[in-house]
Amino acid sequence: MAEIKIGTVFNIDLEFETAPIQKRMAAYGLDIFILVVYLFVMKFILYDFLQLSVGQHTGLDTIVVTIPMLLYPLMCEMYFHGQTIGKRLMHIRVISMNGGEPELSQYLIRWATRFFEWPFLFGYIAYSGINLLAYLFVTLMLGIFVVIIIAMTDKNQRLGDLAAGTVVVNARTSLNINDTIFMNVQTTNYQVTFPEVMRLSDRDINTIQSVLKQSYKYGDEIAGKVSQRVQEVLNISTKMSAQEFLEKLMEDYNYLATQD
């Protein structure tokens, strides 16, 4: 699998392993399976259990079936930090090209460019088993072009990734660190060491988190470079090791961010 280097706001390159196509396809297949199960369950509830008339409740069908299915990838990636259920099971995630978690605008662009799914998401309203198979077939055929684009790009990006400035990478699930920037901080008698951390942007904090993950895998050198740069930016000094310093910054940030 290919490794890519992503430049950060601290002028440090982070290394990530791009998610192989087979993993992305497997994750997509799992997500489609989840949506199909949801579709059948909701159709059963609406038209068998509640005995609503087929074709006379299109508005209700759209609200409780179509819209949740349409928003599934967007909401999952936003709240699961770059992962759908399928991506989580396959241990891959979406990150920004700056090495941190994508912003809302990037998630929206990725979601809006999933045009190859639209036949499946909307076509089943004329519901039948045969139609569902036809919609799935059309969706999969359109998906072939997505696979081709992924295979042709240097960082295995689809059009949505190129437009949004994102890339899908292998998640570092073996690392003993939380996947989000939020930590469980003991708020009772907590002493903030570096209040200056609040001068950093969310993008900076996400980058520090990524640097910590990299340092746990590859050693302390990369954390040392970022630690020195952060101290220069914030005009602070410490005798802590690089990892200890960055971890303390994250703890202080999480504590201060929850006090507002």
Side-chain angles (χ1 to χ4, degrees), residues 174-204:
S174 60
L175 297 177
N176 187 21
I177 186 172
N178 201 319
D179 281 338
T180 76
I181 66 171
F182 297 103
M183 300 176 175
N184 291 323
V185 178
Q186 179 63 42
T187 57
T188 303
N189 299 322
Y190 181 83
Q191 297 295 320
V192 176
T193 306
F194 304 109
E196 296 89 348
V197 70
M198 298 309 291
R199 288 162 49 193
L200 298 177
S201 67
D202 290 343
R203 180 184 178 188
D204 296 334

Side-chain angles (χ1 to χ4, degrees), residues 62-225:
T62 300
I63 292 173
V64 301
V65 183
T66 305
I67 292 179
M69 291 175 66
L70 180 65
L71 295 179
Y72 166 81
L74 174 64
M75 303 307 292
C76 281
E77 289 185 354
M78 286 175 54
Y79 289 102
F80 295 155
H81 308 283
Q83 293 180 303
T84 60
I85 296 175
K87 287 186 176 69
R88 176 163 292 190
L89 291 173
M90 296 308 300
H91 307 305
I92 61 178
R93 71 168 63 250
V94 180
I95 65 170
S96 175
M97 289 302 296
N98 64 26
E101 183 175 337
E103 299 178 354
L104 174 60
S105 59
Q106 292 175 292
Y107 284 131
L108 286 171
I109 292 172
R110 293 190 83 257
W111 173 70
T113 55
R114 301 177 73 95
F115 57 86
F116 63 94
E117 293 180 343
W118 293 350
F120 169 63
L121 290 173
F122 293 103
Y124 71 83
I125 292 177
Y127 180 71
S128 73
I130 297 298
N131 285 344
L132 178 60
L133 291 176
Y135 302 140
L136 281 173
F137 177 78
V138 172
T139 299
L140 292 175
M141 289 298 100
L142 291 174
I144 291 176
F145 294 101
V146 178
V147 173
I148 293 173
I149 293 172
I150 291 174
M152 292 177 60
T153 56
D154 293 337
K155 298 181 177 66
N156 294 339
Q157 295 167 290
R158 64 177 181 84
L159 287 177
D161 289 317
L162 292 171
T166 57
V167 64
V168 180
V169 299
N170 278 327
R172 304 299 189 187
T173 54
S174 60
L175 297 177
N176 187 21
I177 186 172
N178 201 319
D179 281 338
T180 76
I181 66 171
F182 297 103
M183 300 176 175
N184 291 323
V185 178
Q186 179 63 42
T187 57
T188 303
N189 299 322
Y190 181 83
Q191 297 295 320
V192 176
T193 306
F194 304 109
E196 296 89 348
V197 70
M198 298 309 291
R199 288 162 49 193
L200 298 177
S201 67
D202 290 343
R203 180 184 178 188
D204 296 334
I205 294 298
N206 276 311
T207 300
I208 290 174
Q209 181 209 20
S210 296
V211 167
L212 277 171
K213 290 183 179 182
Q214 293 282 301
S215 69
Y216 294 145
K217 182 176 178 66
Y218 297 111
D220 200 43
E221 181 180 357
I222 190 171
K225 294 179 181 179

